[in-house]
Amino acid sequence: MVIEEKTISSDKIYTGKTISLKVDTVETINQGYQKREIVEHPGAVGILALNENNEIVLIKQFRKPIEKVIWEIPAGKLEPGETPKECAQRELKEETGYDASNLKLIHKFYTSAGFSNQKIYIYLATDITVGERNLNDDEDIEVHTISLEEAYNMVIQNEIEDAKTAIGILIARELI
Amino acid sequence: MVIEEKTISSDKIYTGKTISLKVDTVETINQGYQKREIVEHPGAVGILALNENNEIVLIKQFRKPIEKVIWEIPAGKLEPGETPKECAQRELKEETGYDASNLKLIHKFYTSAGFSNQKIYIYLATDITVGERNLNDDEDIEVHTISLEEAYNMVIQNEIEDAKTAIGILIARELI
């Protein structure tokens, strides 16, 4: 039986646009005390959008924290009051121009439970049709369609290095 | 061609035990400016340790950021000067008592490239033998061995909700 850690005190360090940071003091199993650094995140969705040719939509985007352009599935963070499904529909449209008639939750996971509560919901989007996209001002995103099989090879070869993208592709391939 | 974002200024908010937080001001594609909140992490490893019966080692651990006990593969963060492989060997031993003669890097990924530089290296450990473990004072970890096939089902059923654990199991199953 694993024991939960009781919070003794909590210090708010930072409240930002996307994340907040707090440091909790907890009581540990040996009756000692430890600090736990916790990044709070509103949660996010990733969308595995599959067209009638068994191709998925992948994007290329520059990510400042890693100073690198990487392959990802379309994704974005939950806005206040929004359900994960609504968020998936909105982000897919904004970033890629695709509308999906069919959205199904296929997996949810914690990205980094050691220091963050961030949870990502992965949706499989089917019956997709392409229209206009609607990027935020500061977004610069390239949209590609790639066969699910080729995307799977990109995961295995590790050309894909993004957690939600690897999980989405690997799980979708098992389910389809 | 996706444009990189140039850093105009960088504010250090917090330097902690495991993570640091900075807020960069960057120039975006539309010549505007945006804040990027960035959590710096030293990097981590996860170990998919496979025994001769095709079972893997899974642990149960309480994670304060999500206030929950979850299933994970053994894992830990890189210490200064340590290679990912050395870290994998050390963390596997500390958390589970297992020594591995054979460690092979099978995947590396960013957990959350939108707000953190955290990178996780996944090692496949084979030729494993069990001995004494050596937990840190504040660690309370249950060790289980579960067949790779059952672990795979736990991913598909979403009983496993941890990114590195899902990726490790799904990729190992493709490679073995």
Side-chain angles (χ1 to χ4, degrees):
Chain A
M1 178 64 189
V2 180
I3 305 296
E4 303 200 351
E5 293 173 346
K6 195 179 149 201
T7 306
I8 305 300
S9 65
S10 184
D11 283 327
K12 200 82 193 164
I13 307 289
Y14 173 81
T15 303
K17 202 173 50 169
T18 303
I19 57 174
S20 303
L21 174 64
K22 64 178 182 177
V23 178
D24 284 5
T25 302
V26 301
E27 196 176 340
T28 59
I29 187 168
N30 62 350
Q31 316 290 310
Y33 298 98
Q34 286 284 339
K35 302 282 187 194
R36 299 288 180 231
E37 298 160 344
I38 298 172
V39 174
E40 296 178 293
H41 186 283
V45 303
I47 308 105
L48 205 293
L50 187 76
N51 71 18
E52 68 284 6
N53 302 320
N54 238 25
E55 291 166 334
I56 65 166
V57 181
L58 286 181
I59 63 176
K60 268 186 155 174
Q61 188 174 9
F62 177 73
R63 291 300 202 169
K64 190 68 188 169
I66 58 173
E67 295 285 351
K68 209 169 159 178
V69 175
I70 56 169
W71 287 106
E72 295 179 57
I73 52 174
K77 67 172 195 286
L78 288 165
E79 297 297 337
E82 195 177 42
T83 66
K85 193 172 183 175
E86 287 161 355
C87 180
Q89 199 107 37
R90 177 180 57 73
E91 287 286 353
L92 180 63
K93 178 68 179 171
E94 282 179 11
E95 293 192 342
T96 71
Y98 281 91
D99 283 294
S101 315
N102 215 339
L103 280 167
K104 188 185 162 202
L105 181 67
I106 57 170
H107 202 72
K108 50 191 196 311
F109 65 94
Y110 298 103
T111 53
S112 239
F115 73 85
S116 178
N117 70 345
Q118 192 192 25
K119 189 170 190 173
I120 297 187
Y121 300 82
I122 307 276
Y123 283 86
L124 177 65
T126 49
D127 300 333
I128 60 174
T129 49
V130 70
E132 284 295 303
R133 63 181 182 162
N134 176 25
L135 291 177
N136 296 335
D137 277 20
D138 65 322
E139 285 183 316
D140 177 20
I141 291 177
E142 245 181 54
V143 180
H144 298 256
T145 53
I146 291 179
S147 76
L148 181 57
E149 209 46 36
E150 171 62 14
Y152 165 78
N153 288 330
M154 290 166 71
V155 175
I156 297 298
Q157 302 302 321
N158 218 167
E159 290 159 44
I160 285 170
E161 295 190 297
D162 174 59
K164 67 181 172 305
T165 307
I167 290 176
I169 292 167
L170 291 170
I171 298 230
R173 196 161 165 277
E174 298 296 316
L175 299 181
I176 289 168
Chain B
M1 179 61 189
V2 180
I3 305 298
E4 302 199 353
E5 293 172 345
K6 195 179 149 202
T7 307
I8 304 302
S9 65
S10 184
D11 283 326
K12 202 80 190 164
I13 307 288
Y14 173 82
T15 303
K17 203 173 49 166
T18 304
I19 58 174
S20 303
L21 174 65
K22 64 178 182 177
V23 178
D24 284 6
T25 302
V26 301
E27 196 176 337
T28 58
I29 188 169
N30 64 349
Q31 316 290 311
Y33 298 97
Q34 287 282 340
K35 302 283 185 192
R36 299 288 180 233
E37 297 161 344
I38 299 172
V39 175
E40 296 179 293
H41 187 282
V45 303
I47 308 105
L48 205 294
L50 187 77
N51 71 16
E52 67 283 6
N53 301 321
N54 239 26
E55 292 166 334
I56 65 168
V57 180
L58 286 182
I59 63 176
K60 268 186 156 173
Q61 188 174 7
F62 177 74
R63 292 301 202 168
K64 190 68 190 168
I66 58 173
E67 295 285 352
K68 208 169 160 178
V69 175
I70 57 169
W71 287 105
E72 295 180 55
I73 52 175
K77 66 172 198 284
L78 288 165
E79 296 297 338
E82 194 177 43
T83 66
K85 192 171 183 175
E86 288 162 355
C87 180
Q89 200 107 37
R90 178 180 55 73
E91 288 285 355
L92 180 64
K93 178 67 179 172
E94 281 179 11
E95 293 192 342
T96 70
Y98 281 92
D99 284 295
S101 313
N102 216 339
L103 280 166
K104 189 184 161 202
L105 181 66
I106 57 169
H107 202 71
K108 49 191 197 312
F109 66 93
Y110 299 104
T111 52
S112 238
F115 73 85
S116 178
N117 70 346
Q118 192 192 24
K119 189 170 190 172
I120 297 187
Y121 300 82
I122 306 276
Y123 283 85
L124 176 66
T126 50
D127 300 332
I128 61 175
T129 48
V130 70
E132 284 296 302
R133 63 183 183 162
N134 176 26
L135 292 177
N136 297 334
D137 277 19
D138 65 322
E139 285 182 318
D140 177 20
I141 291 177
E142 244 182 55
V143 180
H144 298 256
T145 53
I146 291 180
S147 76
L148 181 57
E149 209 47 34
E150 170 62 14
Y152 164 78
N153 288 330
M154 289 166 72
V155 175
I156 297 298
Q157 302 302 321
N158 219 166
E159 289 160 45
I160 285 170
E161 295 190 298
D162 174 60
K164 66 181 173 306
T165 306
I167 290 177
I169 291 168
L170 292 170
I171 297 228
R173 196 163 165 276
E174 297 296 316
L175 300 180
I176 288 166

